[in-house]
Each structure stands twice: as C-alpha cells, then as structure tokens.
Amino acid sequence: MAKRSHEPLRKEEKRKLDKAGLKKLAGIFRFMLPYKGLFILGLMALGLSTFTIMAFPKLAGELVDVATGNSKYFSSIEQVVITLVIVLFIQSIFSFIRVYTFSNVSERGIADVRKAVYQKILWLPMTFFDSRRTGELMSRITSDVATLQDTFSFTLAEFFRQVLSLIFGTIIIFYLTPSLALFMLLTFPVIVVAALIFGTYIRKLSRKTQDKLAEVNVIVEESFQSIFVVKAFTNELFQINKFTKALQEVVSVAIRSSLYRSLFVSFVIFVLFGGIVAIGWHGANLVQANELQPGELFSFVFYTAIIGFSIAGLGDIYAQLQRAIGASERVLDILALQDEAEPVDDQRLQLSGEIVFDNVSFSYPSR
C-alpha cells in the first residue's frame, strides 16, 4: 500500500495544475477505465457519505434545542439520539463502499500500470539502458507508481470529499444563519490567507534544510566511494572537517526552520481560536437578542470547523496532485518510447542448421 508523503515539494517535483498537467494525469487514468463501474459506484458512495455526514452538525444542534425546549422538529432527546445513530450508521455504510471501491480500482489499475511499464522497459533497445541507471528505472516502477497509487486510492477521493464538504457546508450555513455566515466571511478568509503565507515561507526553509542535508550526503558518498584516495593522501581530517561544517549548516537552517514553525503553530492556534471566539461573540449576541437559537449557533460552529478543515486539507491535496502529475509524466514518457519489434506468438522460426558469417561487425551502440 502506498504511503502519503507530507514532505515539502522539491523544485523538480513541482508541476502546474493546469490543463496540460491534468491531461498527463488522465493518461494514467485510462488504466482505470476497465474498472469504471466500481469507480462510479465509489464516487456515488463518496457523495452520499459526505451529504449524510453534513446532517450531523444540524442534528447536534437540535440536541441542544431539545434540551432548552426550543426544538422545532423533535420532542425528546431520545428521538434526536436515535436519528443521529441512524445517520452515522448510514454514513458508515457509504464510507465502507467508498474506501473499498476506490482501493479495489486503484490496486487493479496500478497493477496494470506496473505491468505495462515493466513490459515496455524489457522491450526497449540497449541504447536506452546505456543512458539510464538501474536505480532510475527501479524508481519508475516503485516510487512513481506508488505515488500514482496513492493518488487514485486516496488523494482523488479526499479532493472530491473536501470540495463537496466546502460546497455543502457553505450552502447550509447561509441557509440556516445568513447574518452569522456573512460575519464569518469577513474574518475567516483573513485567517486562511495569513496562514497560507506563513506556511509557504516555512516550506521554503524546509526545502533549504533538505538541500543542505543532500550536500552532506554527497560528501559522505564521495568520501566512501573514493576511500582509497582519501587514505592515500591522508585526507581523513580534511573530510571530517568538511563534513562537520556541512552538518553545522544543516543544524543552523533546521533550527531556524523550527523557530518559524513554532511561531506558525502559535499564530494558527491564537488566530484560529480567536476567530472562533469572535464568531461565538457575535452569535451569542444574536442568541441574546432572540434572533438565533442556541442549537443553531452550535450547529454553525460545527459547520465552520468542517469548512475550515476542508480548506486546510485542499492545500496538502494540491501538493499531492503536483507529485502525481510529475510521476505520471515520467511514466508516460517511458510508455511513449519506441521499443523493439515484438515477436508474433504463432510465427515459428524454421531452422535448417546452416550458419554463415558474412560481413559481420560488432560495436557498442552508445560508444
């Protein structure tokens, strides 16, 4: 099973999420078409699962209203609890179908991708192998295909779910409490934009730390590969000092990155909860003026949290899609190469045993 990567994107991994990039990702999606029935079923389950879970905050608010004697739809707490349990049970069924179908489609489709890449590589001419390292080819079948597997089994489902949650949640809060929703719109985007700007700077520092660590690894690799030269010229102390200096640079950049990350965490906690306090303050004033029921305020805070998590999740999903586009580009480049003529299965060679060497020559294709 593929593992999701939460490391910041390296420069070579960045891809534009535009029409051309999505077209490359769609080029891999053709391997999923034989299983489109299961995929469509998973999409339907995804939509229904998201829709049913959006009823949970409203019902939780009704629980508060029943307790205070202001509910319009229920007469007892037990009725609300039973309805909540039924909604959660239905949602769990849809979630099971979604996870199972997406996993099934991705496992089968990605197996076809691996087979196609492996088969293509074996049929490529020797000139292809002369210009590429074994590790690079292994990376195409392992790392790149694993990234694509993660995309089709998790990232796409999460993308659709977050978008649907954002749309449904926004519609619901404007329908239930339009005045409070407008107040939220005046404060929430400022928080999100500030967090994104802060997060971008921290990701740059994280990439710089990775670059410095890569330089350290290069020093280690060169010294080990050329250990005979190091020993011959008694350069042990020189290499150790060089390694120590590079290591200190890594620590310096990492500490600087952790400083800004700590400030970022404190900033997010303060501003996020500050925004919730501001919304709660305005909502409490509406409750006090009998313009809003306590349960509606509770539901609104719940929906606002769902919307916030959806927006935050889209940032990570965007980075995952960039990785997937880069992986699909590299895989499709291999699949598009001209390979050697494949033999026909029903065509058998007729050998008579007479062998003649006439004007025979030999040379390496890449030399």
Side-chain angles (χ1 to χ4, degrees):
M1 182 177 178
K3 296 181 180 180
R4 296 187 297 277
S5 175
H6 297 281
E7 297 179 355
L9 284 174
R10 297 187 296 270
K11 186 176 180 180
E12 62 271 15
E13 288 182 315
K14 284 189 174 182
R15 296 294 188 278
K16 290 184 179 181
L17 201 61
D18 52 11
K19 184 178 179 180
L22 294 176
K23 187 177 180 181
K24 292 174 182 176
L25 198 58
I28 297 295
F29 187 76
R30 63 186 172 89
F31 288 93
M32 312 296 163
L33 291 180
Y35 319 105
K36 60 183 177 182
L38 274 177
F39 187 77
I40 293 173
L41 178 62
L43 285 178
M44 294 173 60
L46 173 65
L48 293 171
S49 171
T50 305
F51 182 76
T52 52
I53 200 63
M54 296 304 289
F56 184 82
K58 175 60 179 174
L59 291 172
E62 287 296 325
L63 197 62
V64 176
D65 285 340
V66 169
T68 57
N70 297 316
S71 178
K72 301 177 183 178
Y73 308 103
F74 299 94
S75 58
S76 66
I77 294 177
E78 287 74 17
Q79 289 180 348
V80 183
V81 172
I82 292 173
T83 305
L84 275 170
V85 171
I86 293 174
V87 168
L88 291 177
F89 179 73
I90 295 173
Q91 195 273 336
S92 64
I93 294 175
F94 289 141
S95 295
F96 169 80
I97 296 173
R98 171 182 68 86
V99 174
Y100 178 77
T101 51
F102 274 100
S103 298
N104 200 310
V105 170
S106 66
E107 290 292 343
R108 294 184 179 185
I110 292 303
D112 293 341
V113 173
R114 281 197 173 98
K115 179 181 177 182
V117 174
Y118 179 71
Q119 182 174 316
K120 169 64 73 169
I121 290 176
L122 286 185
W123 282 114
L124 288 172
M126 287 303 299
T127 51
F128 171 82
F129 296 94
D130 290 337
S131 59
R132 285 167 178 81
R133 294 176 297 178
T134 302
E136 179 185 352
L137 300 179
M138 287 289 296
S139 179
R140 299 293 82 83
I141 298 179
T142 55
S143 299
D144 287 340
V145 175
T147 299
L148 295 174
Q149 180 180 4
D150 186 52
T151 299
F152 289 107
S153 62
F154 174 81
T155 306
L156 282 181
E158 279 299 299
F159 174 74
F160 291 135
R161 189 173 69 86
Q162 302 291 9
V163 170
L164 289 175
S165 298
L166 184 59
I167 294 173
F168 288 158
T170 304
I171 293 174
I172 291 172
I173 63 174
F174 270 97
Y175 174 76
L176 295 177
T177 53
S179 60
L180 199 57
L182 287 173
F183 181 82
M184 186 267 289
L185 284 180
L186 296 176
T187 59
F188 199 70
V190 177
I191 299 173
V192 173
V193 171
L196 288 175
I197 294 174
F198 219 137
T200 300
Y201 183 70
I202 290 177
R203 283 195 295 271
K204 288 182 179 179
L205 286 177
S206 298
R207 285 195 295 269
K208 189 175 181 180
T209 303
Q210 286 184 331
D211 293 339
K212 291 293 182 182
L213 189 59
E215 293 177 5
V216 171
N217 293 334
V218 168
I219 293 174
V220 173
E221 183 179 359
E222 289 179 347
S223 59
F224 286 172
Q225 285 182 346
S226 307
I227 189 64
F228 293 107
V229 177
V230 173
K231 292 290 186 179
F233 289 91
T234 61
N235 272 352
E236 291 91 345
L237 290 178
F238 174 80
Q239 289 297 127
I240 292 172
N241 291 334
K242 185 179 179 181
F243 178 80
T244 303
K245 183 180 178 181
L247 204 58
Q248 288 174 347
E249 292 180 359
V250 173
V251 173
S252 177
V253 175
I255 291 176
R256 185 183 175 192
S257 176
S258 65
L259 172 64
Y260 282 96
R261 190 179 295 108
S262 303
L263 291 173
F264 175 67
V265 171
S266 301
F267 167 80
V268 168
I269 293 174
F270 177 79
V271 176
L272 181 61
F273 283 95
I276 293 175
V277 169
I279 294 172
W281 166 77
H282 184 64
N285 286 331
L286 294 176
V287 172
Q288 192 176 37
N290 291 323
E291 297 179 14
L292 192 70
Q293 296 296 331
E296 291 176 332
L297 176 59
F298 184 80
S299 297
F300 181 86
V301 173
F302 221 133
Y303 282 120
T304 303
I306 291 176
I307 293 173
F309 285 125
S310 298
I311 294 175
L314 286 174
D316 183 60
I317 290 173
Y318 180 81
Q320 296 295 332
L321 288 176
Q322 283 185 300
R323 281 193 177 95
I325 290 174
S328 62
E329 179 183 312
R330 291 187 291 270
V331 170
L332 289 175
D333 285 344
I334 289 180
L335 294 177
L337 292 174
Q338 181 66 39
D339 57 16
E340 297 173 335
E342 299 184 14
V344 181
D345 293 335
D346 59 352
Q347 181 180 354
R348 297 185 178 181
L349 296 176
Q350 299 295 330
L351 301 177
S352 60
E354 297 179 0
I355 301 176
V356 177
F357 289 92
D358 184 16
N359 196 21
V360 176
S361 61
F362 172 79
S363 65
Y364 289 101
S366 59
R367 298 181 183 178

